[in-house]
Amino acid sequence: MEYVVDHDLHIHSQLSLCSGDPEQTPANILRYAVNNHFSTICLTDHYWDESVPGAPGWYQIQNTEHIRQALPLPEADGVRFLFGCETEMDKFFTVGISSRMAEQLDFIIVPINHLHMTGFTIDTDRDAPDRRADWYVRRFDALLDMDLPFEKVGLAHLTCRLMDNRTPKAHLEVLDLVSDGTFRELFTKTAARGCGVELNFTLRDYEASEMDRALRPYRIAAACGCKFYFGSDAHTPGGLKAAYRNFTDIRDALGLTEEQKFMV
């Protein structure tokens, strides 16, 4: 059976400091879900648990009290509105969430490719692609070795341009440097842990000649038995508006089936 696009598990509200859009409210996010006949959505504002040392000023603001301002979430028949977060991994491989908060949240997404936060997730923004590829692999593996409730953990936007955003396609150069064998090892471990692989990239951004490079990690993940979920990473109503079409484009490009869906 073809993969049914019935969810969005990575959405930010105005509480995320990189949003700040007064129209990006839980009520409008729920309306987006109803309009697209989604059965599950998740609020994943940026978050660093104040009980975990090491947060920079930007994340010190986005603490537990801050993200809980979204509660209680609005309700609609037929829609599960989950309360989660997008936390961070710093350059010491510390993830900004305690076990206590991990138990309380419905879903936790962690980006291992946020290599644009100089001094926090990486030492310098001048790292060459080969070092960024090595850093990416090490962060990926370190996350999978952590004591996390992987049944409700997602690997956020694994191939987004923030791993090297010096040019619009520099991230593809980084991904090219990760071998098929290394990806197989990482995704075999991902499948064994039971965590979800997020599908969160704009397919139409890639030329036909770039498509195989952009989709290679996900095709390997599928071959390794990983489960996938969609995330818009929307920070504004405009991001929500474009999401459903992009989800179906990705599903069709990868030929996903319902058996490959990650459920939380």
Side-chain angles (χ1 to χ4, degrees):
M1 179 181 176
E2 183 180 63
Y3 191 114
V4 178
V5 178
D6 60 359
H7 63 275
D8 184 342
L9 300 185
H10 183 169
I11 309 173
H12 295 270
S13 79
Q14 62 183 327
L15 291 175
S16 284
L17 298 187
C18 48
S19 168
D21 189 318
E23 296 302 312
Q24 190 71 351
T25 63
N28 285 337
I29 292 168
L30 180 60
R31 188 172 298 112
Y32 150 75
V34 171
N35 290 343
N36 285 282
H37 307 289
F38 288 164
S39 60
T40 306
I41 55 172
C42 188
L43 188 65
T44 53
D45 282 318
H46 289 289
Y47 172 65
W48 189 281
D49 189 333
E50 62 276 10
S51 70
V52 179
W58 192 74
Y59 264 120
Q60 288 175 15
I61 296 169
Q62 298 178 114
N63 58 18
T64 305
E65 181 181 6
H66 183 79
I67 66 169
R68 280 185 170 157
Q69 293 178 67
L71 299 176
L73 294 174
E75 299 179 0
D77 289 343
V79 180
R80 290 192 307 149
F81 200 160
L82 305 180
F83 182 60
C85 76
E86 179 177 3
T87 190
E88 196 64 69
M89 174 187 281
D90 71 12
K91 64 183 180 180
F92 304 110
F93 304 148
T94 299
V95 170
I97 191 166
S98 64
S99 58
R100 177 182 63 85
M101 279 304 296
E103 289 178 3
Q104 294 181 25
L105 292 167
D106 296 318
F107 190 48
I108 303 152
I109 59 173
V110 187
I112 52 89
N113 58 348
H114 268 182
L115 299 180
H116 63 299
M117 300 179 181
T118 306
F120 179 48
T121 59
I122 195 168
D123 288 326
T124 173
D125 61 5
R126 295 186 298 274
D127 273 344
D130 59 343
R131 181 150 192 275
R132 286 177 178 270
D134 177 66
W135 202 233
Y136 173 83
V137 169
R138 290 172 60 200
R139 286 166 61 86
F140 199 153
D141 196 47
L143 179 66
L144 294 174
D145 281 340
M146 292 182 182
D147 183 16
L148 293 170
F150 283 110
E151 70 280 359
K152 59 176 182 177
V153 171
L155 303 175
H157 43 57
L158 278 174
T159 60
C160 83
R161 60 177 293 187
L162 292 177
M163 68 178 67
D164 192 343
N165 62 354
R166 289 174 289 183
T167 67
K169 301 297 173 63
H171 64 290
L172 289 178
E173 297 178 39
V174 177
L175 291 170
D176 288 344
L177 292 168
V178 182
S179 70
D180 286 2
T182 297
F183 268 130
R184 277 193 294 270
E185 291 177 7
L186 291 168
F187 286 124
T188 297
K189 197 170 180 179
T190 299
R193 294 288 186 269
C195 61
V197 174
E198 184 171 294
L199 298 170
N200 175 359
F201 54 94
T202 304
L203 198 66
R204 295 183 298 281
D205 284 348
Y206 297 107
E207 303 291 338
S209 60
E210 299 166 332
M211 201 63 70
D212 284 342
R213 297 166 68 196
L215 296 179
R216 178 177 67 102
Y218 302 103
R219 288 172 172 155
I220 295 172
C224 292
C226 290
K227 304 289 187 180
F228 301 91
Y229 69 93
F230 284 106
S232 64
D233 198 8
H235 289 63
T236 66
L240 295 174
K241 185 177 179 180
Y244 183 81
R245 179 185 171 188
N246 189 51
F247 293 166
T248 58
D249 286 347
I250 294 170
R251 177 200 62 194
D252 295 345
L254 291 173
L256 295 177
T257 66
E258 190 70 1
E259 291 73 25
Q260 292 171 290
K261 180 180 290 181
F262 176 78
M263 306 290 289
V264 64

